[in-house]
Amino acid sequence: MPDTEMSIHEWRIDDREYQRQKERRGRRFAYTSLEPARTALVVIDMVPFFVDANNAAAHAQGLNP
């Protein structure tokens, strides 16, 4: 039976990135409000096959799977 335990990737956004956005926009977040009816969540999941140096399209090369 396959292991069905979810693995969670450890990641975080460096404080310098938040500061850079704040300097650029004058605030931390891009939008001050959101309209749920006009809002979408886009998730891009790049599996290793698509970013492998032998199989990747030119625009995907250099991404770390």
Side-chain angles (χ1 to χ4, degrees):
M1 181 173 234
D3 184 9
T4 58
E5 183 179 324
M6 262 179 66
S7 71
I8 303 298
H9 299 282
E10 287 190 35
W11 68 275
R12 67 183 193 85
I13 298 173
D14 290 332
D15 289 333
R16 65 184 168 87
E17 289 302 321
Y18 288 124
Q19 186 61 35
R20 186 175 71 91
Q21 295 304 320
K22 189 172 181 178
E23 289 171 3
R24 197 172 122 209
R25 295 186 183 112
R27 60 185 182 274
R28 179 175 170 172
F29 302 103
Y31 302 99
T32 56
S33 65
L34 296 174
E35 280 185 62
R38 297 178 50 97
T39 304
L41 171 64
V42 178
V43 177
I44 301 171
D45 184 8
M46 300 291 285
V47 296
F49 174 82
F50 292 109
V51 295
D52 180 271
N54 296 322
N55 299 316
H59 62 276
Q61 291 179 359
L63 295 175
N64 293 323

